[in-house]
Amino acid sequence: MKFATWNVNSLKVRLPQVLDWLAEHSDITALCLQETKMDDPTFPQAEIEAAGFHVVFAGQKTYNGVAIIARAPIEDVIINIPGFADPQKRVLAATINGIRLVDVYIPNGQSLDSEKFPYKLAWLAALKEFIAQELQQHPKLALLGDYNIAPEDRDVHDIKKWEGGVLVSPAERNFFNEFIQLGLVDSFRLFEQAEKSFSWWDYRGFSFKKNAGLRIDHILLSSALAAQCSACEIDVEPRKHERPSDHTPVIATIL
DNA sequence: ATGGCCTTTATGAAAGGA
């Protein structure tokens, strides 16, 4: 089985690329999307199902929005974090082939002095409680999505440029480590990886060409799943396409 | 360099992203 995550930065723009990518990667069991940026009535459910997939989605107009596309039936869906009142659609949990997937679009936070930053931290605290509960019911769990956290300095092309900002702050990295303390494992770091491996590059200033990126999209696995994980890779190919998303897919292989 | 680019909403300009 292969599970993937991809922040598509508008599914309206990127749907053809998503369907092409799934056709080229016929071994992908399920793909978690973030930033679909569309409300549910406009979601392209018919097109995705016509291509032979199952799909669930939770969206809103203009901002955020998550979806899971799968080749097998999707069961036990939860939208948003139970008990955490939030009009923003950022979480979708579902079971596929007996594996619990939690698809997250963690808030960006904007800047350390923005009112959006305490929202990000409160949101992460609520997510941690939710994941702790989900783990009790689902030992085989993957937490995958756009975390908007670069966990270590090696996940940042130029740490001096980013220091003091969001995505790399100690408060955010502490939350990433709290997920690790829940028993989750960063699947990417289970394996030897090329230096300067990133999943996001700014659209500005030829950042992709210069590989001036960040690794902020992650697949964390419960210990039961990590024991079955044989690979985790970032697929940079879609970032080379015409009109790309600024993020590129991350894929974990489960035996 | 208080920038650069892309998407959205909406039709001009601004917000949000990371």
Side-chain angles (χ1 to χ4, degrees):
Chain A
M1 292 182 285
K2 291 196 181 196
F3 297 102
T5 176
W6 190 4
N7 180 325
V8 291
N9 183 20
S10 167
L11 187 59
K12 186 180 177 186
V13 173
R14 237 66 68 185
L15 180 62
Q17 294 185 37
V18 169
L19 292 177
D20 286 350
W21 189 83
L22 285 166
E24 290 164 14
H25 297 78
S26 56
D27 53 352
I28 296 288
T29 309
L31 170 62
C32 294
L33 304 178
Q34 303 89 37
E35 283 206 271
T36 56
K37 294 188 174 179
M38 45 175 45
D39 56 9
D40 292 344
T42 52
F43 191 90
Q45 178 176 12
E47 291 96 315
I48 292 169
E49 289 177 347
F53 299 101
H54 302 263
V55 63
V56 292
F57 46 92
Q60 62 186 93
K61 201 173 178 182
T62 312
Y63 302 115
N64 310 312
V66 282
I68 302 175
I69 302 175
R71 290 195 155 84
I74 302 170
E75 303 170 299
D76 299 326
V77 176
I78 294 177
I79 294 169
N80 282 353
I81 301 169
F84 183 74
D86 186 2
Q88 302 187 23
K89 295 292 191 294
R90 296 178 173 276
V91 176
L92 201 46
T95 302
I96 295 147
N97 286 354
I99 309 293
R100 190 62 167 170
L101 300 184
V102 184
D103 176 13
V104 292
Y105 176 44
I106 293 176
N108 171 282
Q110 197 165 58
S111 64
L112 298 188
D113 56 2
S114 165
E115 62 188 13
K116 290 172 186 167
F117 191 67
Y119 164 71
K120 180 175 190 173
L121 298 183
W123 198 97
L124 282 162
L127 179 65
K128 183 195 160 193
E129 292 308 311
F130 177 49
I131 295 303
Q133 291 170 25
E134 286 283 299
L135 274 170
Q136 289 181 355
Q137 296 169 51
H138 309 282
K140 292 190 177 183
L141 180 146
L143 176 60
L144 60 181
D146 176 357
Y147 282 59
N148 273 313
I149 301 172
E152 299 179 69
D153 287 355
R154 61 176 165 164
D155 300 313
V156 181
H157 70 95
D158 181 352
I159 188 60
K160 288 199 173 77
K161 195 172 273 182
W162 288 84
E163 225 158 33
V166 288
L167 316 189
V168 303
S169 75
E172 292 160 84
R173 286 176 167 178
N174 284 345
F175 267 110
F176 188 88
N177 289 327
E178 292 210 38
F179 291 113
I180 302 301
Q181 281 158 29
L182 285 178
L184 301 180
V185 175
D186 182 354
S187 59
F188 191 74
R189 294 299 180 202
L190 285 173
F191 307 97
E192 196 166 317
Q193 304 288 359
E195 281 183 36
K196 298 181 179 176
S197 290
F198 305 125
S199 65
W200 171 87
W201 300 262
D202 200 306
Y203 283 121
R204 296 168 292 188
F206 302 101
S207 296
F208 181 63
K209 203 172 206 173
K210 296 191 285 193
N211 195 28
L214 305 175
R215 191 176 71 95
I216 52 176
D217 300 272
H218 308 294
I219 301 178
L220 266 54
L221 302 175
S222 64
S223 54
L225 268 194
Q228 295 175 262
C229 183
S230 63
C232 179
E233 56 216 324
I234 297 172
D235 179 12
V236 298
E237 288 303 316
R239 191 63 177 78
K240 302 174 182 173
H241 291 171
E242 289 287 310
R243 236 187 151 180
S245 169
D246 43 358
H247 296 252
T248 207
V250 183
I251 309 164
T253 305
I254 306 295
L255 296 174

